Amino acid sequence: MTDTHDTHITGYRFSILIWVDLLILTLLTIEVAQFDFQALTVIVALLIATIKSFLVGKHFMHLKFENRFLKAVVIGVGALFLAVLIVLFSDYLFY
Amino acid sequence: MTAIPQTRPYVNFFDEKRGFMSWLVTEDHKRIALLYFYAVMGFFIVAFVLGLTMRLELIAPGATILDPQTYNEIFTLHGVIMIFLFIIPGIPAIFGNFALPMLIGAPDVAFPKLNLISWYLYVLGGLMALSTLLYGDGPADTGWTFYAPYSVKTGTNVTVAVLAAFVLGFSSILTGLNFIVTMHQMRAPGMTWFKMPLFPWALYATAWIQVLATPIIGITLLMIVAERTLGIGLFDPALGGDPVLYQHLFWIYSHPAVYIMALPAMGIVSETIPVFVKKSIFGYKVIVYSSLAIAFIGYFVWGHHMFTSGMSGPARVIFSVLTFLVAIPSAIKVFNWIATLYKGSIDIKPPLLYSLAFIFQFAIGGLTGLVVGALATDIHVHDTYFVVGHFHYVMFGGTGFAFFGALHYYYPKIWGRMYNLKWANIAFAIFFIGFNLVYFPMLVLGMMGMPRRYYDYLPEFTLPNLISTIGSWVLAIGLIIMIVNLIRGRKGPKASTNPWGSVTLDWTHTQSPPSLYNFDETPQVERGPYDYRNYEQYLQEHNKN
């Protein structure tokens, strides 16, 4: 395999910034849990979680450096996960 | 990644290195496959004996040899071992590990060390599961599904049992990941995706399920541990939890896991039939697409395990429709195998017999699956012996038979010796009769209304239970003859490198037993995997002797 580590270097400063963003989003998750959004409660929680996953995937897991195929795989898996959630909520929404 | 070193004299992989330690630290995919083989067979025999014990208890109404609590523990351990330690890893970890690199013209899997770690995790998980017999209040008594809230409340060793399943899940994920990368990166020159044999394709579809679905059961089982140790209240209604959510999460993995069990078996059937018919497989691409379709649709049918659990009406309809959809690609495969047999030059040998039994029994398992997949009929047979019969027809009659078919098929390749074909046929016949004697009466018992998971039953269920128990002894006799014949085969006549006359790379371009890196030089692939035109001339040119 080709060694591409030299192109994957990001500074500590940037990584810490992303980490702080994640902490803020975690606090936001805790804060919004105090409000009752009715049917939207799960969607709000998942929306914040999705943004956090995106930040982790893109920056900490270096997806921004990867080729299209790998990005397509990750997007495909995300779509699968979403589809599973939609089918799951076909139970809870109509109950 | 491993590269084939320059040509050197042939030394088979057994003789490459000697000594116990050389096996414990091996990175050779064939040795790791054998490590899996001995471990899996050990666990299989334990679970088989547990199954025999259950059948013996059910020989007559009332308590015979077990008390109710022991019976509950035994059927749980039987299920956990058979599912997590035999059926899920059996074909991929043993025959996938052994044959995949050879089938695609590679010297090894992509990550040999990871492969060995997978085996160690497997052994650790297996020992953890068995250890539950030895301390505390005994092994889990929940059934292999660990349904909440009972699994949260029971005093038996549920925590260790679910942690065992968690560790085994890691083993499964790592094997799947290894196979995906191997197939993407290490196919021989000329082996395009659609020149790849069907067993690797089946392993590919399986590997994606292993990688994507197994983490869900991992986190779900940890939630059970958290609930038991910290009293969080995820699934226990008394603490505000939702037990139906547990069932959803459990089956989101465990139904796709049924395809982790079935797809590799289908791959073995697709691999063996053309060899013993000397004819190209009918509808190669359709079989490939059906494997991928099964893997994909199989994700969305989990709710059919929960039709009576209190799901919403629309959800039940959706899951029932999706369940019927997944039957289509499965049926396509069956039709293609039969079409391959049509007008073929059929050579009845033990591996083919197991594949034919697979088709017959898997068809019964599949059709009874439609009965439990339909909302109205499922209400009647849910949690009856009909489900036990259906499940065993698919898993044992299907995957179990394919496992033993694969063992008979790859035996001369692994050990370079041939077992006694006559005794193998006799063992198969007894095994086949025994199997159907055990499980067909269960379908009848289910229709009569006998519930599953009880150590006792009403007098009107006696005769089918008696037949089933006698069948279990016939099955055991068949298994014993098979094992003795295979052990004796180790000292049997030397097998030629390609005794079945296959045209896939694992037989045409490797020795029996293969050398450390399988091939003397990287093979160039020019033909399709099941191209049997002028195959005799092709074998003369390529066979190693």
Side-chain angles (χ1 to χ4, degrees):
Chain A
M1 282 185 180
T2 342
D3 189 0
T4 50
H5 281 97
D6 54 341
T7 60
H8 283 201
I9 296 169
T10 46
Y12 284 116
R13 188 187 157 85
F14 184 74
S15 295
I16 289 169
L17 259 173
I18 299 294
W19 178 58
V20 171
D21 287 348
L22 290 170
L23 284 179
I24 292 168
L25 286 165
T26 305
L27 289 174
L28 186 65
T29 312
I30 296 165
E31 281 303 311
V32 296
Q34 296 171 21
F35 302 100
D36 185 4
F37 294 108
Q38 305 282 325
L40 293 175
T41 307
V42 175
I43 292 175
V44 170
L46 282 180
L47 199 67
I48 301 172
T50 306
I51 297 168
K52 287 169 73 181
S53 310
F54 175 77
L55 289 174
V56 171
K58 186 178 176 189
H59 298 293
F60 289 162
M61 298 176 80
H62 288 192
L63 272 177
K64 63 178 174 181
F65 298 115
E66 296 298 344
N67 60 30
R68 271 192 194 174
F69 173 74
L70 220 68
K71 284 177 184 162
V73 168
V74 174
I75 291 168
V77 171
L80 180 75
F81 182 60
L82 185 66
V84 167
L85 275 180
I86 290 169
V87 176
L88 173 65
F89 276 87
S90 71
D91 180 15
Y92 288 91
L93 283 178
F94 297 109
Y95 194 73
Chain B
M1 287 177 194
T2 320
I4 299 171
Q6 289 189 332
T7 307
R8 54 186 199 146
Y10 164 64
V11 180
N12 74 52
F13 73 97
F14 288 103
D15 295 333
E16 187 68 41
K17 280 181 187 166
R18 289 281 180 180
F20 190 63
M21 273 309 288
S22 73
W23 282 82
L24 291 184
V25 297
T26 184
E27 292 171 19
D28 178 9
H29 67 101
K30 299 176 290 295
R31 283 186 168 215
I32 294 170
L34 284 180
L35 289 174
Y36 266 115
F37 172 71
Y38 292 118
V40 167
M41 283 308 288
F43 287 121
F44 169 75
I45 288 167
V46 170
F48 190 87
V49 171
L50 291 173
L52 284 177
T53 313
M54 285 155 60
R55 280 308 333 157
L56 195 57
E57 164 55 37
L58 294 169
I59 193 169
T64 50
I65 58 164
L66 300 174
D67 61 72
Q69 178 61 23
T70 310
Y71 182 81
N72 289 352
E73 291 168 0
I74 282 184
F75 77 62
T76 300
L77 203 55
H78 167 82
V80 169
I81 295 176
M82 281 295 193
I83 296 283
F84 293 110
L85 291 161
F86 173 61
I87 292 278
I88 287 181
I91 294 179
I94 298 172
F95 302 109
N97 245 327
F98 184 81
L100 172 66
M102 290 191 277
L103 278 162
I104 63 170
D108 206 318
V109 292
F111 306 119
K113 285 191 175 72
L114 198 66
N115 205 11
L116 185 62
I117 290 169
S118 307
W119 180 74
Y120 276 107
L121 286 174
Y122 170 82
V123 173
L124 176 67
L127 293 178
M128 283 170 73
L130 283 185
S131 75
T132 59
L133 283 163
L134 306 175
Y135 47 83
D137 290 331
D141 57 350
T142 57
W144 75 277
T145 54
F146 303 116
Y147 265 14
Y150 183 66
S151 59
V152 176
K153 293 178 182 296
T154 175
T156 54
N157 295 325
V158 167
T159 303
V160 177
V162 297
L163 286 174
F166 181 81
V167 172
L168 290 166
F170 263 99
S171 169
S172 185
I173 291 169
L174 297 182
T175 301
L177 189 68
N178 218 339
F179 286 0
I180 289 173
V181 180
T182 303
M183 278 178 268
H184 273 273
Q185 299 286 338
M186 297 183 73
R187 281 173 287 127
M191 180 165 282
T192 57
W193 281 101
F194 286 116
K195 277 193 181 146
M196 195 164 75
L198 288 165
F199 183 40
W201 264 115
L203 290 171
Y204 184 72
T206 307
W208 276 110
I209 309 177
Q210 286 174 298
V211 169
L212 296 180
T214 314
I216 298 171
I217 190 75
I219 198 73
T220 307
L221 294 176
L222 284 189
M223 286 160 90
I224 286 283
V225 174
E227 182 115 354
R228 280 177 70 84
T229 52
L230 306 171
I232 289 176
L234 295 162
F235 304 125
D236 184 358
L239 298 169
D242 178 5
V244 177
L245 178 64
Y246 174 81
Q247 295 187 23
H248 273 299
L249 291 173
F250 179 82
W251 289 113
I252 285 174
Y253 163 75
S254 295
H255 193 80
V258 170
Y259 299 107
I260 295 177
M261 306 172 209
L263 275 168
M266 292 168 164
I268 288 292
V269 175
S270 301
E271 207 59 52
T272 50
I273 285 182
V275 177
F276 295 96
V277 179
K278 293 291 177 286
K279 198 176 147 212
S280 182
I281 190 120
F282 184 87
Y284 167 87
K285 279 193 179 174
V286 179
I287 294 184
V288 169
Y289 289 131
S290 64
S291 292
L292 298 174
I294 288 172
F296 181 72
I297 304 171
Y299 264 98
F300 302 103
V301 303
W302 76 83
H304 66 216
H305 294 272
M306 304 162 52
F307 284 157
T308 61
S309 298
M311 273 198 306
S312 72
R316 278 186 277 184
V317 173
I318 289 168
F319 281 119
S320 187
V321 170
L322 288 168
T323 300
F324 274 74
L325 278 184
V326 85
I328 296 170
S330 306
I332 285 173
K333 282 179 188 288
V334 172
F335 289 129
N336 283 8
W337 293 324
I338 292 169
T340 307
L341 291 165
Y342 181 65
K343 286 191 175 175
S345 172
I346 298 175
D347 182 16
I348 296 282
K349 289 279 179 354
L352 181 68
L353 285 173
Y354 283 95
S355 289
L356 295 178
F358 174 99
I359 296 174
F360 173 72
Q361 286 155 181
F362 183 79
I364 294 176
L367 291 170
T368 50
L370 292 179
V371 176
V372 286
L375 283 176
T377 44
D378 182 69
I379 300 298
H380 292 279
V381 293
H382 184 87
D383 264 348
T384 70
Y385 260 84
F386 188 86
V387 179
V388 183
H390 150 72
F391 182 72
H392 282 85
Y393 261 96
V394 178
M395 291 293 95
F396 191 0
T399 305
F401 271 67
F403 175 88
F404 291 114
L407 181 56
H408 283 82
Y409 180 63
Y410 280 114
Y411 189 95
K413 177 55 62 185
I414 297 172
W415 285 289
R417 302 271 168 177
M418 185 55 93
Y419 47 83
N420 184 305
L421 291 175
K422 192 180 99 180
W423 276 107
N425 289 340
I426 292 169
F428 165 79
I430 297 171
F431 201 60
F432 176 78
I433 293 166
F435 170 84
N436 284 285
L437 277 176
V438 180
Y439 296 108
F440 198 81
M442 290 188 187
L443 296 173
V444 178
L445 281 167
M447 295 304 278
M448 290 166 75
M450 179 172 162
R452 64 193 291 199
R453 300 197 181 106
Y454 286 90
Y455 86 120
D456 190 9
Y457 51 82
L458 297 171
E460 57 259 42
F461 301 133
T462 303
L463 182 62
N465 270 300
L466 179 64
I467 295 170
S468 183
T469 301
I470 292 170
S472 69
W473 303 336
V474 178
L475 187 70
I477 291 167
L479 182 68
I480 290 166
I481 295 173
M482 184 206 299
I483 291 173
V484 170
N485 185 40
L486 293 176
I487 291 172
R488 284 168 60 94
R490 295 287 300 280
K491 295 200 186 309
K494 208 169 179 316
S496 64
T497 53
N498 190 0
W500 314 125
S502 168
V503 294
T504 44
L505 293 177
D506 50 341
W507 293 97
T508 56
H509 285 64
T510 69
Q511 306 275 1
S512 298
S515 57
L516 178 63
Y517 296 109
N518 305 330
F519 303 96
D520 297 338
E521 54 190 22
T522 306
Q524 301 286 324
V525 180
E526 287 148 13
R527 293 159 64 103
Y530 308 109
D531 189 349
Y532 278 92
R533 289 169 300 175
N534 304 321
Y535 76 94
E536 281 161 332
Q537 190 190 338
Y538 178 76
L539 293 183
Q540 269 183 358
E541 287 167 13
H542 289 87
N543 261 354
K544 301 270 175 194
N545 269 313

